[in-house]
Amino acid sequence: MTTATVPAPTPSARGTLRRARRRSTALGLLAWAAGLAFCLPALWMLLTSLHAESDAATNPPSLFAPLTLDGYRAFFGADTGVTPWPPLLNSLGASFFSTVLVLLLALPAAYALSIRRVRKWTDVMFFFLSTKMLPVVAGLLPIYLFAKNAGMLDNIWLLVLLYTSMNLPIAVWMMQSFLADVPVSVIEAAQVDGARLPTVLARVVAPMAAPGIAATALICFIFSWNELLFARVLTGVVAQTAPVFLTGFVTSQGLFLAQLCAASVVVSLPVLAAGYAAQDKLVQGLSLGAVK
Amino acid sequence: MTTAVGTTPQSPPRPTATPDRRSKGPRAWATRAPLLPALVFLIVVTQLPFVATLVISLFDWNSLNPDKRAFNGLDNYASVFTDAALRDSVVTTILLTAGVVIATVVLGLALALLLDRAFFGRGLVRTLLITPFLIVPVSAALLWKHALYNPEYGLLNGALSWVGELFGDTTPSQPDWIAQMPLLAVIAALVWQWTPFMMLILLAGLQSRPAEVVEAARLDGASAWQTFRYLTLPHLRRYLELGVLLGAVYIVQNFDAVFTITAGGLDTANLPYTIYQTFYQAHEYGLASAAGVVVVIGTIIIATFALRTVSSLFSEEANRA
């Protein structure tokens, strides 16, 4: 502790020290209080999801009502037979395939921007970034019209393409900074041995930058999973995603609070898991690589 | 800590140092080739639709009346600026964005300062604080609308009843939050979701602050406030700018919260929601496109500053290598 550095504290110095320590404890408690306050709505959602409907919707709230999984059972269609599996699987598919596509496109691009520097590489970087700042609504109508004429409405692959374009700039930025850490000499050695670009990327670059690539993938997955506007406009019955299903959920079933909270917990689970896993890289992704 | 340039130390000189080798011939193409798929993909999927939006915005085009489609120049833009509903949604967008950004920055800064110090369970508190950001936005909006704001059994009024009972008040006020303060209700939900984001950016800023300088200031007898005011705040300036600008870019585009909590009712329709409605429900393609272009222009203004901030942080990283 800090006392070790002060051999013989005078009484007044000891008082200051004690005061400082008390203040530090108070600030620690304050941080805990803030953390719990921010988490409270989420914890409330979890608690409500574990209550019976009759206990969920009471005023004042029944904190200690018996716990049950009925809300989850109802969400998975125990009573109505309407299961959320198609939308959940659609979300999973759209998020997964777009993440794969993003990685396939971003890895070579990041390679060209960090290891084999193309000319004016910063300009290219900023072009990528600027597309991310283009509001989604500005291109939605033409995309809708195109999809309608091409018979691609209500099609999961259209979402895959759009989510890829949405996440590609972030992925390029993040990966550029991760790939910059791969030693050029190793890549050159591989090339001297006759490896071509795909081999170099797959066998040398990707394994060395694996943690960064994984974080990038998780962040792309989160964004795709969360997306509502494209999915809402461009899908209907077949390709409906989990967020769209959730928005329709309340109106079609009436309001069952426990069931709604269970639904929200289930839909948020993949994001929570991915988000906690990618915590450190989350800011970097969201701030478009500017903050590390 | 990674740097933008890392193992290729000659950052700007590197391309220019050997221009003749790179500018022409198959070698240059070999360098460029890996970049092209991503670049072409992005141009096709993001830039072309926007160009189409620009073109559509010059037409009078209602999809329910497709035969009447006609070129009408800038009329749609005139409508955007004279139409009361659209003008209202411009104001709403500004209020919503400014409210959320200011509140999240202030709260985020306070939380980042709290978390910048060592205390028992700091990692756990950080995880707790990030959680709101990791709830799917639609779920978060539904949670606020039904489980917190609901006038009959939402947590907010439940807590009011509970506290009221403690003080012997059997009929405490039970406000209908969304009906009485719709915009504030949306803002509060968004502040809850986005404060962690600001906190994370500012925390990254605080942790990149050189420890020796702070230590030196303390040895020189600077008070906590003086250290904050003259050392921390100037250091954080660009992180604050970045947070504000990125927050603005993300919040301006917000659709989920408005759509879910109020469905644009009660004067809470922001531009993205209004545009969505104009083309999806009113089928006014030309008008919706014009409004979309206006949003883009607004965003470009914010984004120019955002890009400059990112670029200054970025070049700082590049120079450090």
Side-chain angles (χ1 to χ4, degrees):
Chain A
M1 278 313 284
T2 38
T3 41
T5 59
V6 188
T10 58
S12 73
R14 213 180 293 149
T16 322
L17 207 65
R18 203 177 308 133
R19 228 174 301 136
R21 204 173 297 154
R22 211 177 302 144
R23 207 176 121 234
S24 147
T25 313
L27 286 173
L29 287 175
L30 191 62
W32 266 99
L36 288 173
F38 260 83
C39 211
L40 182 69
L43 294 174
W44 183 247
M45 173 169 91
L46 183 64
L47 185 67
T48 308
S49 75
L50 292 168
H51 278 167
E53 288 298 346
S54 56
D55 295 322
T58 57
N59 184 349
S62 48
L63 274 178
F64 303 106
L67 301 182
T68 161
L69 287 174
D70 283 356
Y72 291 87
R73 259 182 233 123
F75 173 60
F76 282 104
D79 315 325
T80 55
V82 181
T83 75
W85 284 113
L88 284 173
L89 290 175
N90 281 336
S91 273
L92 197 65
S95 307
F96 174 78
F97 287 114
S98 89
T99 302
V100 170
L101 193 54
V102 165
L103 295 183
L104 287 178
L105 290 169
L107 189 62
Y111 174 83
L113 289 167
S114 63
I115 294 169
R116 285 278 163 267
R117 284 279 154 77
V118 295
R119 290 197 328 140
K120 303 203 168 170
W121 65 280
T122 46
D123 291 351
V124 180
M125 292 285 288
F126 281 104
F127 168 74
F128 277 109
L129 200 50
S130 65
T131 64
K132 186 66 208 154
M133 306 214 165
L134 200 69
V136 168
V137 279
L140 192 58
L141 176 61
I143 290 171
Y144 170 80
L145 293 175
F146 164 80
K148 202 169 150 190
N149 291 329
M152 280 180 79
L153 277 182
D154 207 5
N155 183 328
I156 208 77
W157 297 105
L158 181 66
L159 288 186
V160 170
L161 289 182
L162 293 173
Y163 292 170
T164 303
S165 77
M166 176 176 88
N167 289 328
L168 192 52
I170 291 176
V172 168
W173 268 74
M174 286 183 74
M175 283 217 217
Q176 189 272 343
S177 71
F178 295 129
L179 290 201
D181 294 339
V182 175
V184 178
S185 54
V186 179
I187 294 161
E188 276 166 358
Q191 277 165 337
V192 169
D193 290 347
R196 294 171 56 85
L197 180 67
T199 321
V200 171
L201 283 178
R203 295 281 171 77
V204 183
V205 178
M208 292 182 83
I213 294 174
T216 311
L218 286 177
I219 285 171
C220 294
F221 183 88
I222 293 178
F223 282 141
S224 310
W225 183 275
N226 282 351
E227 206 282 330
L228 174 68
L229 185 54
F230 279 134
R232 159 99 202 152
V233 170
L234 301 171
T235 71
V237 188
V238 186
Q240 193 185 54
T241 62
V244 181
F245 178 77
L246 264 187
T247 59
F249 187 67
V250 182
T251 37
S252 65
Q253 313 261 319
L255 182 57
F256 294 106
L257 201 57
Q259 200 180 331
L260 175 70
C261 286
S264 298
V265 170
V266 171
V267 173
S268 293
L269 269 183
V271 177
L272 283 163
Y276 289 138
Q279 255 188 60
D280 297 330
K281 301 286 185 289
L282 200 62
V283 216
Q284 195 174 338
L286 287 165
S287 56
L288 309 160
V291 170
K292 290 183 201 150
Chain B
M1 192 150 187
T2 54
T3 57
V5 186
T7 47
T8 48
Q10 326 81 315
S11 52
R14 185 170 174 155
T16 46
T18 50
D20 41 4
R21 194 159 59 89
R22 288 165 173 275
S23 53
K24 285 194 194 105
R27 233 198 118 87
W29 279 104
T31 315
R32 262 178 234 148
L35 184 64
L36 291 179
L39 212 51
V40 171
F41 183 91
L42 260 191
I43 290 172
V44 171
V45 183
T46 68
Q47 310 293 296
L48 289 187
F50 178 61
V51 173
T53 302
L54 267 175
V55 175
I56 297 173
S57 76
L58 302 174
F59 283 84
D60 177 16
W61 182 2
N62 185 314
S63 70
L64 302 176
N65 235 336
D67 302 335
K68 275 179 60 189
R69 181 165 73 183
F71 183 79
N72 69 350
L74 296 175
D75 279 9
N76 286 324
Y77 290 90
S79 308
V80 168
F81 288 106
T82 50
D83 183 304
L86 275 168
R87 242 187 351 215
D88 280 353
S89 69
V90 173
V91 176
T92 306
T93 308
I94 294 171
L95 286 177
L96 183 73
T97 310
V100 173
V101 169
I102 293 170
T104 50
V105 165
V106 172
L107 274 172
L109 179 60
L111 293 172
L113 286 170
L114 275 177
L115 280 200
D116 188 39
R117 324 149 13 85
F119 62 89
F120 174 73
R122 178 165 71 165
L124 196 59
V125 171
R126 198 179 107 127
T127 304
L128 287 178
L129 277 170
I130 296 170
T131 304
F133 199 69
L134 298 179
I135 306 281
V136 171
V138 174
S139 300
L142 286 169
L143 168 74
W144 279 80
K145 177 174 182 168
H146 296 293
L148 302 183
Y149 287 143
N150 187 300
E152 278 151 47
Y153 44 75
L155 181 62
L156 289 180
N157 282 357
L160 283 180
S161 305
W162 190 63
V163 173
E165 237 165 66
L166 283 182
F167 290 95
D169 180 359
T170 48
T171 52
S173 68
Q174 300 279 287
D176 186 346
W177 301 91
I178 296 176
Q180 284 171 20
M181 42 192 95
L183 191 58
L184 218 55
V186 176
I187 290 178
L190 282 172
V191 167
W192 178 72
Q193 269 229 298
W194 283 91
T195 298
F197 167 71
M198 293 294 180
M199 182 203 73
L200 288 172
I201 286 190
L202 295 175
L203 194 58
L206 283 176
Q207 290 177 346
S208 73
R209 186 180 48 161
E212 319 88 66
V213 183
V214 180
E215 188 62 26
R218 206 176 35 222
L219 288 178
D220 287 345
S223 70
W225 167 250
Q226 282 171 327
T227 314
F228 176 74
R229 173 68 190 79
Y230 296 106
L231 272 179
T232 309
L233 215 51
H235 173 81
L236 277 187
R237 207 192 94 193
R238 271 177 322 170
Y239 291 89
L240 284 165
E241 285 172 2
L242 181 74
V244 167
L245 293 164
L246 290 176
V249 169
Y250 285 119
I251 306 291
V252 160
Q253 303 188 36
N254 181 275
F255 173 75
D256 306 27
V258 171
F259 176 78
T260 309
I261 296 181
T262 59
L266 309 161
D267 275 339
T268 57
N270 63 350
L271 276 166
Y273 184 84
T274 308
I275 294 167
Y276 159 83
Q277 224 188 5
T278 311
F279 100 80
Y280 204 65
Q281 277 156 17
H283 305 277
E284 287 284 358
Y285 288 0
L287 198 58
S289 299
V293 173
V294 172
V295 179
V296 170
I297 293 168
T299 314
I300 285 173
I301 296 171
I302 303 173
T304 311
F305 289 105
L307 285 178
R308 202 174 299 160
T309 309
V310 173
S311 133
S312 72
L313 284 166
F314 184 62
S315 60
E316 192 177 84
E317 288 282 345
N319 290 335
R320 205 181 295 161

